[in-house]
Amino acid sequence: MTITYEWRGGFGDVELNALHAEGFGHPALDVDWRARVGRHSLGWVCAREGGDLVGFVNVVWDGGGHAFLLDTVVAGERRRSGIGAELVAEAARQARAAGCEWLHVDFEDDLRSFYVEACGFRPTAAGLLAL
């Protein structure tokens, strides 16, 4: 079946909460994703196979030259099929079209090959402060 990618694509909170829970290994939460992305995001990319949501990435920004990837997730049975890399590529195209100069992402070591090799990010030094 064909995978379609849509910038600012439609989604339901229930389906995105289920996908997020599967991808990040936690129980399904009751997050109002529509309100969240409406307040904080430049946009997002939805990947669908048939009618099913099989991938999602959120692109938040500073209102200027910097955009940030959050919540990149692909359904378990569809991982390692290129969906994640295409989600990121579409996010990058759209951030560039909006005038952003930089696309940032942070990730754990086990995702280094995905972001650096598959998606073309350049490793940088960064810091993280738990709050």
Side-chain angles (χ1 to χ4, degrees), residues 79-93:
R79 290 185 192 139
R80 301 193 188 287
S81 66
I83 293 171
E86 186 55 36
L87 285 168
V88 171
E90 182 62 17
R93 284 189 288 272

Side-chain angles (χ1 to χ4, degrees), residues 5-12 34 37 43-46 48 53 56:
Y5 300 87
E6 186 177 8
W7 176 245
R8 293 182 165 248
F11 63 84
R34 298 298 304 175
V37 299
W44 55 91
V45 182
C46 294
R48 290 197 176 274
L53 184 67
F56 178 85

Side-chain angles (χ1 to χ4, degrees), residues 4-6 10 33 38 44 55 59 62 70 73-74 77 85 93 98 109 120 123 128:
T4 59
Y5 300 87
E6 186 177 8
W33 283 98
W44 55 91
V59 184
D62 66 352
L70 294 174
V73 62
V74 173
E77 72 278 359
R93 284 189 288 272
D109 283 338
L128 179 65

Side-chain angles (χ1 to χ4, degrees), residues 28-51:
L29 304 174
D30 187 23
V31 175
D32 184 348
W33 283 98
R34 298 298 304 175
R36 182 177 288 183
V37 299
R39 281 192 311 268
H40 304 291
S41 300
L42 172 64
W44 55 91
V45 182
C46 294
R48 290 197 176 274
E49 185 172 38

Side-chain angles (χ1 to χ4, degrees), residues 60-125:
V60 299
W61 70 328
D62 66 352
H66 295 264
F68 308 82
L69 293 183
L70 294 174
D71 299 307
T72 307
V73 62
V74 173
E77 72 278 359
R78 303 302 287 133
R79 290 185 192 139
R80 301 193 188 287
S81 66
I83 293 171
E86 186 55 36
L87 285 168
V88 171
E90 182 62 17
R93 284 189 288 272
Q94 295 295 336
R96 187 179 302 109
C100 294
E101 299 175 40
W102 298 99
L103 183 59
H104 304 262
V105 66
D106 65 342
F107 51 85
E108 295 184 4
D109 283 338
D110 63 322
L111 294 173
R112 176 177 282 284
S113 66
F114 171 69
Y115 284 108
V116 173
E117 296 168 22
C119 297
F121 281 85
R122 185 181 66 211
T124 63

